[in-house]
């Protein structure tokens, strides 16, 4: 059996990359560490006890975009941002509605209603929403 002892481009490239990685100086390591730390900054706390419907809607969309919340998890938050005009029967414009709402209380009352109406699916979604809000409460 003949063993090939020739060096090839693949092995030389791998060794060069490995030695380059080992030679990272402390300044670039410190820079990389600073960047990584900035990217993993703590979660911004939100005051769910006094928000407009628009603020809640924007927060929910930010959570979905960042991947911190799934569309399924967002459904109770979407429901809490809805408001129907009694006079027109149409959705009220959330951009012009400045009413501040305690969304934690709203979710808690919705949870009680879901339990009273024997709706375990809604109760579970609202319970999850409450837990999410309590974790991020300012």
């Amino acid at each position: 059996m003949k063993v090939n002892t020739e060096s090839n481009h693949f092995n030389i490239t791998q060794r060069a990359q490995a030695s380059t990685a080992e030679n990272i100086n402390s300044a670039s390591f410190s820079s990389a560490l600073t960047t990584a730390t900035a990217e993993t900054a703590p979660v911004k706390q939100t005051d769910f006890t006094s928000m407009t419907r628009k603020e809640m809607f924007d927060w929910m969309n930010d959570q979905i975009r960042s991947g911190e919340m799934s569309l399924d998890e967002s459904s109770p938050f979407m429901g809490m941002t809805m408001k129907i005009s009694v006079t027109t029967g149409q959705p009220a414009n959330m951009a012009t509605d400045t009413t501040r709402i305690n969304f934690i209380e709203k979710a808690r009352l919705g949870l009680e209603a879901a339990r009273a109406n024997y709706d375990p699916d809604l109760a579970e979604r609202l319970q999850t929403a409450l837990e999410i809000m309590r974790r991020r409460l300012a």
Side-chain angles (χ1 to χ4, degrees), residues 70-98:
S70 70
L71 288 175
D72 288 342
E73 291 172 321
S74 74
S75 67
F77 294 100
M78 176 62 84
M80 288 187 279
T81 64
M82 297 301 204
K83 181 178 180 181
I84 306 297
S85 170
V86 176
T87 55
T88 66
Q90 298 297 313
N93 185 355
M94 78 171 65
T96 59
D97 184 4
T98 59

Side-chain angles (χ1 to χ4, degrees), residues 10 39 46 49 65-66 71-72 76 83 90 93 109 125-126:
F10 178 73
E39 290 172 357
T46 306
T49 63
R65 276 189 216 105
S66 70
L71 288 175
D72 288 342
K83 181 178 180 181
Q90 298 297 313
N93 185 355
L109 292 172
R125 289 193 310 272
L126 286 168

Side-chain angles (χ1 to χ4, degrees), residues 9-64:
H9 178 70
F10 178 73
N11 289 336
I12 293 170
T13 304
Q14 277 188 326
R15 280 192 292 256
Q17 288 173 345
S19 67
T20 302
E22 291 170 1
N23 291 329
I24 296 176
N25 65 32
S26 62
S28 61
F29 178 75
S30 176
S31 174
L33 184 60
T34 302
T35 302
T37 304
E39 290 172 357
T40 58
V43 175
K44 181 183 174 193
Q45 295 181 328
T46 306
D47 183 7
F48 295 102
T49 63
S50 180
M51 295 177 82
T52 64
R53 293 181 308 117
K54 175 80 168 107
E55 289 170 340
M56 172 59 90
F57 187 80
D58 290 344
W59 174 85
M60 176 192 69
N61 277 333
D62 288 343
Q63 296 299 299
I64 293 167

Side-chain angles (χ1 to χ4, degrees), residues 120-134:
D121 293 333
L122 178 57
E124 184 178 342
R125 289 193 310 272
L126 286 168
Q127 182 64 47
T128 300
L130 274 168
E131 290 167 5
I132 290 169
M133 286 189 286
R134 287 182 177 142

